[in-house]
Amino acid sequence: MPATSPAVADSKWDYIIIGAGSAGCVLANRLSEDENNQVLLLEAGGSHQSILVQIPTALSYPMASATYNWGYLSDAEPALDDREITCPRGKGLGGTSSINGMVYVRGHSCDFEEWETAGAKGWGYANCLPYFKRAETWQFGEDEYRGGSGPLGVGGGNNMKANPLYQAFIDAGIEAGYPATEDYNGYRQEGFGPMHMTVQGGVRESTERAYLKPAKSRSNLTIWTGAFVDRILLENGRASAVILTHKNSQKRLSATKEIILSAGSIASPAILERSGIGSKSALKAAGVELLHERPGVGENLQDHLEIYFQYHCTKPVSLNNKLGLLSKLLIGVRWFFFKSGLGATNHFESCAFIRSDAGLKSPDIQYHFLPAAMRYDGTPSIDGHGFQVHVGPNKPKSRGHVHIRSADPLAPPSIKFNYMQHPEDVAKWRKCIRLSREIIGQPALDAYRGEELQPGDDIQSDDQIDAWVKENVESAYHPCGTCKMGLVSDPMAVVDPECRVIGLDGLRIVDASVFPTVTNGNINAPTIMVAERASDIILNRPLLPASSASSWIDENWQTQQRSTQAVRIHD
């Protein structure tokens, strides 16, 4: 704690939102729609106007930059041979939506039924679907599942027109016995089909662009960048003020209604712990006085891991010949003037969601297909042509934690995912590798498939697969769950189903940290949905009516790992 008291600022705000990321920008927009609400949005990073953030194909550049990325590292991960795993988190307006891969996946309907079973009452699929719709303008128009007039533009990039490999991957999945899906964010997630992305008019659709930019001119919305929050003050069981550093001076700001923490799955639990909210053991270890005991703070950390299969392509159709400097320049010029072409996509334009085993009701493995063999920095990883498939199990059993090391707000927290600590997670990876090889080995890819570059044909036994995965697996950058939502009676829950910190007044958490369990897919879309629904709860508005839309479930799910038969649920 600082030795001197911070200056006290006038309390002219009703709501103070900490963090202008995927959730915070949504809240800033929705809470300031009522001109009677004075809203302050605090962001530790800056304002992102760089072309490298806006151009979808340049996604590797902002993620690699300390200007846009906090650049967290995990602690040594015991089950991954003590490797430290990168954990990128967005720094600046838009948060991680300004540096992510722009993949738009809502998750399976069963994920939200799982949330409700875990204690997040009112967050079942029927309750959440209307808020997914409200957030979105879908490229192909509104229907029972998709939105047609929301702030967030969602499309399909070049809709697979730029490369024959996209369709070949889908055809291979169908040949392997899996269903096709026209819209994995609609009636049927399970299957092979086109992938969707948060790209609007050829430009990255971050929440800064979709939600904050239209609201910036409102006189009742104030945005501070470069505002680094130290902690939240508690007085008589209420969150009374925020202590932060802004423009080289320390400030104390009060909100007349609520303080809303939207700093993400890493920073939100860290801010809580610096505020004296957490477990006795974690705060004692960090030298912070315990003011409000919630042992679940920082626990329940979940993430997705992925590897990528990489193959030589026997025909000169991949994007590897577009990775040179001249080609990148021409792509950039076309994008700059027309917002079209290869610059206007993240290149993940086909995908799949499959079940790893019979007895699973919904998919637990996800595929992103890329018609190039390349590294994460955008450089080619082979000579000649190639393609790769990013894949990983999406419902891990392992759980980790995030805890501060000290009261120093500038010190990065301790992050330990405990990846692959559960034996079922290890077994899933073996299935994942073998199922993927079967799919890629189908006739639809015979005309393109060359040598398997990685894992490589020599990786076959359980022990070989385990060792290769340990050495090569990477985070898919979907951390969540560290301030989980649940029943008030659950000692490990941090917030109740209205996102209020249990046992305190005037403090809510709205971001991916409140997920009880990780969804089957990328987490940006459900984070935005959570913020949309939470905004109605905060403003005490009537919630949108529950949807009666049904979801596809394989009628043979109990006995077969794959089937083309279906049955409707949620009717």
Side-chain angles (χ1 to χ4, degrees):
M1 301 294 180
T4 57
S5 299
V8 179
D10 291 336
S11 298
K12 62 179 180 179
W13 293 285
D14 297 300
Y15 297 100
I16 297 176
I17 303 166
I18 302 171
S22 296
C25 288
V26 176
L27 293 173
N29 180 303
R30 295 305 189 190
L31 299 187
S32 65
E33 285 177 334
D34 183 343
E35 62 183 13
N36 294 314
N37 288 329
Q38 293 296 321
V39 180
L40 173 64
L41 178 63
L42 301 174
E43 169 54 44
S47 178
H48 295 337
Q49 304 301 322
S50 169
I51 192 173
L52 294 178
V53 171
Q54 298 176 44
I55 182 169
T57 194
L59 59 96
S60 63
Y61 293 100
M63 189 171 287
S65 170
T67 300
Y68 309 114
N69 179 7
W70 288 104
Y72 295 118
L73 274 177
S74 79
D75 298 347
E77 291 290 342
L80 300 184
D81 295 331
D82 288 333
R83 292 166 55 206
E84 295 179 342
I85 304 299
T86 58
C87 180
R89 293 291 86 197
K91 181 197 298 186
L93 300 180
T96 305
S97 74
S98 291
I99 69 169
N100 67 3
M102 292 160 281
V103 174
Y104 182 84
V105 183
R106 293 174 173 180
H108 195 277
S109 63
C110 289
D111 294 330
F112 303 101
E113 303 311 313
E114 186 177 70
W115 282 16
E116 192 152 46
T117 300
K121 300 301 181 184
W123 291 85
Y125 180 66
N127 308 108
C128 293
L129 179 56
Y131 288 96
F132 279 118
K133 290 185 64 177
R134 186 171 86 172
E136 174 192 49
T137 292
W138 171 229
Q139 180 182 16
F140 300 109
E142 184 172 2
D143 62 23
E144 190 176 12
Y145 301 90
R146 307 307 296 261
S149 57
L152 188 76
V154 181
N158 293 315
N159 295 304
M160 304 196 300
K161 296 174 183 176
N163 199 283
L165 289 166
Y166 291 123
Q167 188 62 50
F169 174 68
I170 294 171
D171 293 343
I174 295 169
E175 288 175 344
Y178 298 98
T181 177
E182 294 182 1
D183 183 357
Y184 64 83
N185 284 310
Y187 168 57
R188 184 204 308 246
Q189 186 191 62
E190 185 170 345
F192 284 68
M195 182 159 256
H196 311 153
M197 61 190 76
T198 47
V199 173
Q200 171 82 339
V203 180
R204 175 193 286 272
E205 188 79 325
S206 67
T207 55
E208 188 275 335
R209 182 173 184 242
Y211 282 90
L212 200 56
K213 187 175 180 181
K216 282 182 178 179
S217 62
R218 295 174 185 165
S219 60
N220 63 327
L221 175 61
T222 302
I223 302 167
W224 286 6
T225 56
F228 196 93
V229 171
D230 177 357
R231 64 195 189 278
I232 297 163
L233 289 185
L234 305 181
E235 294 179 349
N236 300 318
R238 181 177 181 83
S240 61
V242 177
I243 306 299
L244 71 151
T245 301
H246 183 241
K247 294 183 178 179
N248 297 317
S249 67
Q250 195 177 56
K251 296 179 172 64
R252 169 178 169 163
L253 307 177
S254 300
T256 59
K257 293 183 178 177
E258 290 186 347
I259 296 165
I260 306 165
L261 187 52
S262 297
S265 295
I266 307 301
S268 283
I271 292 171
L272 288 179
E273 289 187 336
R274 291 200 299 269
S275 307
I277 305 168
S279 70
K280 289 180 180 178
S281 58
L283 295 191
K284 182 178 180 181
V288 175
E289 181 185 0
L290 177 66
L291 300 178
H292 182 69
E293 187 172 9
R294 291 309 307 173
V297 171
E299 300 296 328
N300 193 48
L301 175 61
Q302 298 157 65
D303 190 22
H304 292 148
L305 287 170
E306 68 174 14
I307 55 95
Y308 49 94
F309 276 85
Q310 208 167 62
Y311 288 81
H312 270 299
C313 185
T314 57
K315 290 188 176 181
V317 297
S318 78
L319 298 181
N320 276 70
N321 64 350
K322 304 295 185 182
L323 299 178
L325 290 177
L326 179 59
S327 293
K328 288 181 177 180
L329 176 62
L330 294 175
I331 290 168
V333 168
R334 177 174 176 180
W335 180 87
F336 184 81
F337 286 104
F338 303 106
K339 302 298 185 290
S340 65
L342 293 177
T345 175
N346 62 11
H347 305 295
F348 291 115
E349 295 191 17
S350 63
C351 67
F353 299 86
I354 69 171
R355 292 176 292 116
S356 62
D357 270 308
L360 295 175
K361 200 172 185 178
S362 59
D364 63 332
I365 291 177
Q366 178 181 7
Y367 293 90
H368 302 64
F369 182 82
L370 184 66
M374 59 192 293
R375 302 180 183 90
Y376 273 103
D377 64 2
T379 59
S381 55
I382 62 168
D383 293 327
H385 286 268
F387 61 86
Q388 64 195 45
V389 182
H390 296 232
V391 61
N394 268 359
K395 302 297 287 186
K397 295 290 184 67
S398 300
R399 297 290 185 268
H401 58 255
V402 175
H403 293 301
I404 58 172
R405 303 175 193 271
S406 72
D408 180 1
L410 299 180
S414 167
I415 305 168
K416 181 169 282 189
F417 290 96
N418 285 324
Y419 293 124
M420 307 283 285
Q421 294 279 45
H422 196 288
E424 285 189 29
D425 294 348
V426 177
K428 289 290 184 186
W429 269 107
R430 296 170 185 168
K431 288 183 176 291
C432 187
I433 297 296
R434 293 183 171 118
L435 290 171
S436 300
R437 279 183 168 146
E438 181 191 6
I439 291 164
I440 299 168
Q442 295 300 311
L445 283 166
D446 283 352
Y448 306 105
R449 184 184 58 255
E451 177 189 3
E452 181 180 304
L453 301 171
Q454 67 172 39
D457 290 335
D458 57 327
I459 306 299
Q460 296 292 338
S461 70
D462 285 354
D463 288 345
Q464 288 169 334
I465 290 172
D466 293 349
W468 188 86
V469 169
K470 275 187 180 184
E471 185 177 350
N472 291 277
V473 76
E474 301 179 17
S475 173
Y477 311 145
H478 303 154
C480 62
T482 50
C483 301
K484 79 167 186 175
M485 184 189 304
L487 298 176
V488 173
S489 58
D490 180 356
M492 297 305 291
V494 178
V495 299
D496 67 14
E498 295 194 345
C499 297
R500 298 173 297 200
V501 174
I502 296 170
L504 290 174
D505 293 328
L507 180 61
R508 297 192 205 237
I509 306 173
V510 181
D511 56 31
S513 71
V514 305
F515 291 13
T517 53
V518 66
T519 51
N520 184 47
N522 309 62
I523 65 170
N524 187 238
T527 301
I528 293 169
M529 178 278 295
V530 165
E532 281 278 13
R533 190 169 186 273
S535 70
D536 278 354
I537 294 172
I538 292 166
L539 294 171
N540 200 28
R541 291 174 174 170
L543 296 177
L544 296 180
S547 172
S548 60
S550 57
S551 295
W552 188 92
I553 299 290
D554 190 321
E555 67 177 9
N556 298 311
W557 67 269
Q558 292 174 308
T559 58
Q560 295 182 8
Q561 182 259 335
R562 70 193 86 168
S563 169
T564 57
Q565 302 303 308
V567 64
R568 287 179 177 267
I569 64 168
H570 306 315
D571 285 323

